[in-house]
Amino acid sequence: MSAGVRSLEGVHASLPSACYYEEGHYRTELERIWYRSWLCAGRAEEIPEAGDFRVLEIGNQSVVLTRDEARRVRAFHNTCRHRGSLLCEASRGKFRQGRIVCPYHAWTYSLSGELTATPWRVENGAFDASHFSLYEVAAGEWEGFLFVNLDPEAEPFDRRCLGGIPSRFASWRLGETRVGRTLEVDLACNWKVFWENFSECYHCPGVHPELCRIVPVFGKGYSTHEAVAAPGAPVAPLAEGAVTWSVGGKSDLPWFDGLSEEERRAGQTYGVVPPGAFFVAHVDYARLVQVLPLAPERTRLVVSWMFPPRTLSRPDFDLDRATELGELVVREDGRACELNQRGLRSLRHEAGVLIGQETGVRDFHDWVRERLADTG
């Protein structure tokens, strides 16, 4: 941190700039944060049947998710136990005849990960196949979402791993929704730059003019209505007449059944599962945004829009209109994050400064520091 930043009483400095591009620091974050956390791995509908699979890339780790013969979610490192070959080259597909076969020497595994065949191996009586099952990864499922944890000591997954999210989103019955559109975007920025952008709306007036017309509080540089509301005022962050995130704020789609008046009035309900995902639910659809680190200065976003089945089956359903504003915001945020990353390489910029509205960024930095300090 520069002397100039230290000398300003009451000013909070950001993380050091090198934390956003140094390879060694990035590896430490992978080991202490990403490889020890429950991460959202997408939607269960992507692997509906036994033998269906998809591959998830997290840092330098590749994970295969599938369902065994009992349709239980299973996850394994995408690595053969023979000499470490990659098992799955495709990002998704179906294992033939319920077998996972290594493309190198054809070692074969069941959908539960047990080694079942080693073709052409010379038998010497000392080989015990039970010692060479696939490396299992802890996996779980909640309301149609898949989760993995790369920590070999991870506790079994249950709702408690998600904090207050299950109760917050109970009214939407997200397990009944289906994905209507998925957008995948690779950004030239560190994963923390994206989360910092998410954690504040100081950038919103200049970056998101269309969104600010729908959520006026964003246009004041704040993330929450409570920050500028009068004491006791009802929470109504959307503009008058707006009901959802769409261009113009209107919706001709069916609303979710069972929403409370407060949930309808709020118009947007957020839930964060750091470091890998956040959820947003509106009256007529919901979104999942997965955040995946690929390299010190590369991050992948996978954005999924989910709708009730009755919405997707409507002949007049306009998917482009339903996702237009969300896609615009993703592109705008992506450009801002990439500009931020490029500037961090300055020889003079040792650390940034956080202002009053950026308490969410400060909280995020504290969260990162706490996990980096955990060497257990």
Side-chain angles (χ1 to χ4, degrees):
M1 187 189 309
S2 69
V5 172
R6 277 200 304 269
S7 66
L8 296 175
E9 183 178 353
V11 169
H12 293 272
S14 69
L15 298 174
S17 295
C19 293
Y20 299 87
Y21 54 78
E22 279 191 350
E23 181 69 38
H25 186 84
Y26 172 71
R27 288 198 302 269
T28 299
E29 290 180 338
L30 291 179
E31 294 165 2
R32 297 186 186 175
I33 298 177
W34 288 91
Y35 300 162
R36 296 184 183 181
S37 302
W38 281 103
L39 306 172
C40 186
R43 290 287 291 178
E45 65 198 80
E46 297 180 87
I47 52 169
E49 303 297 335
D52 293 338
F53 77 86
R54 61 152 305 187
V55 174
L56 181 70
E57 305 291 342
I58 309 164
N60 58 13
Q61 298 299 297
S62 182
V63 176
V64 179
L65 291 102
T66 189
R67 290 188 186 273
D68 62 20
E69 299 293 354
R71 297 188 66 251
R72 292 172 299 194
V73 177
R74 308 297 290 261
F76 308 100
H77 284 273
N78 190 11
T79 301
C80 180
R81 288 298 307 274
H82 175 211
R83 280 168 38 202
S85 171
L86 200 71
L87 291 168
C88 299
E89 295 179 90
S91 62
R92 62 191 67 231
K94 190 175 186 70
F95 294 121
R96 296 180 181 178
Q97 300 178 330
R99 301 181 306 161
I100 304 172
V101 181
C102 176
Y104 195 3
H105 297 96
W107 278 32
T108 303
Y109 305 86
S110 71
L111 297 178
S112 299
E114 294 89 1
L115 179 62
T116 59
T118 55
W120 315 298
R121 180 180 59 83
V122 175
E123 182 59 65
N124 63 6
F127 185 84
D128 186 345
S130 67
H131 294 166
F132 299 99
S133 297
L134 293 178
Y135 301 111
E136 188 150 16
V137 173
E141 186 175 354
W142 167 78
E143 286 292 337
F145 298 96
L146 302 174
F147 294 86
V148 297
N149 192 324
L150 291 167
D151 185 350
E153 305 300 322
E155 294 291 328
F157 179 85
D158 63 26
R159 292 164 58 96
R160 290 173 295 181
C161 298
L162 303 178
I165 284 179
S167 59
R168 190 178 311 151
F169 289 88
S171 299
W172 279 267
R173 299 200 300 272
L174 294 175
E176 300 175 10
T177 64
R178 293 295 178 266
V179 174
R181 172 164 292 168
T182 298
L183 174 67
E184 189 171 296
V185 180
D186 282 4
L187 300 180
C189 71
N190 183 268
W191 68 275
K192 297 188 298 302
V193 168
F194 174 82
W195 276 116
E196 290 170 356
N197 180 83
F198 172 83
S199 301
E200 51 90 354
C201 225
Y202 186 41
H203 71 279
C204 289
V207 175
H208 303 305
E210 292 83 0
L211 178 59
C212 290
R213 283 194 282 271
I214 305 304
V215 191
V217 68
F218 288 176
K220 299 177 190 231
Y222 289 91
S223 298
T224 62
H225 176 76
E226 290 86 344
V228 294
V235 176
L238 300 191
E240 185 176 356
V243 297
T244 191
W245 273 36
S246 68
V247 175
K250 306 296 184 181
S251 174
D252 57 2
L253 302 178
W255 289 15
F256 285 92
D257 297 327
L259 299 184
S260 68
E261 181 58 33
E262 182 180 357
E263 289 166 338
R264 289 169 178 254
R265 185 172 61 245
Q268 51 184 14
T269 297
Y270 283 84
V272 180
V273 184
F278 67 87
F279 306 91
V280 191
H282 305 281
V283 296
D284 51 352
Y285 69 94
R287 285 176 289 138
L288 163 68
V289 179
Q290 294 170 255
V291 184
L292 300 168
L294 301 179
E297 297 181 88
R298 283 187 62 219
T299 299
R300 175 166 296 158
L301 302 183
V302 183
V303 187
S304 301
W305 283 263
M306 296 159 290
F307 303 85
R310 71 179 186 278
T311 297
L312 292 171
S313 64
R314 285 177 50 151
D316 62 342
F317 175 46
D318 189 340
L319 180 58
D320 291 337
R321 181 182 176 188
T323 64
E324 182 180 7
L325 181 60
E327 292 188 49
L328 174 63
V329 171
V330 169
R331 290 195 298 271
E332 292 170 337
D333 278 333
R335 178 177 181 273
C337 290
E338 291 184 333
L339 289 174
N340 194 168
Q341 183 69 40
R342 288 169 63 186
L344 288 168
R345 282 284 188 170
S346 167
L347 293 174
R348 297 287 300 277
H349 189 79
E350 297 178 26
V353 177
L354 303 181
I355 65 162
Q357 292 106 305
E358 296 174 315
T359 55
V361 179
R362 191 163 70 245
D363 291 343
F364 170 68
H365 288 174
D366 289 343
W367 182 88
V368 169
R369 290 187 184 102
E370 287 173 7
R371 277 144 189 82
L372 292 179
D374 180 8
T375 58

